[in-house]
Amino acid sequence: MLRYLPFLLVLAVWIYAFIDVLNTPEKEVRHLPKVVWVIIVLLFGEVLLGPIAWFVTGKKRHAPGTAGGGRTRWVAPDDNPEFLKSLKEKDEDPDENRRDKGNEG
């Protein structure tokens, strides 16, 4: 079983690089067209030259902790002004106060 491990690791890196090339937007691909990167990863994936070249030079990478790729950062509820505003609006709702008083007695 252990003798298959290197083959499986190379296969996993090869597949990951191939999917990464396909999912990367064209504007984030560097140095070569996306189609050429796909061919390089497929042809040289077995010896890991294609995937390593893609990971090192092919894609613009974002620094860790930055909101790259158009994703929004998660904000804790107590730091989110929209959430705090919604709580204030809920407390000021007159219908909500009537329902609470009616349930007490």
Side-chain angles (χ1 to χ4, degrees):
M1 181 69 174
L2 208 52
R3 65 182 171 190
Y4 298 117
L5 186 62
F7 172 74
L8 292 176
L9 288 175
V10 169
L11 184 65
V13 170
W14 193 2
I15 292 172
Y16 179 79
F18 179 67
I19 292 172
D20 192 35
V21 171
L22 292 179
N23 287 333
T24 301
E26 189 72 40
K27 64 181 180 178
E28 292 186 17
V29 177
R30 296 189 302 177
H31 304 297
L32 296 171
K34 189 174 177 177
V35 175
V36 175
W37 277 115
V38 169
I39 293 169
I40 289 173
V41 168
L42 287 178
L43 288 179
F44 300 106
E46 199 169 326
V47 290
L48 288 182
L49 291 177
I52 289 172
W54 167 250
F55 293 137
V56 172
T57 63
K59 182 178 179 181
K60 291 181 185 175
R61 302 286 174 186
H62 303 286
T66 61
R71 295 181 182 160
T72 58
R73 268 184 84 194
W74 183 82
V75 179
D78 56 345
D79 292 336
N80 188 345
E82 294 174 11
F83 177 74
L84 295 175
K85 183 180 176 184
S86 71
L87 289 178
K88 288 180 184 178
E89 289 173 357
K90 185 177 178 182
D91 287 340
E92 295 172 359
D93 187 12
D95 294 334
E96 188 72 29
N97 290 336
R98 281 191 223 132
R99 278 187 252 141
D100 289 341
K101 290 179 182 178
N103 291 337
E104 290 177 3

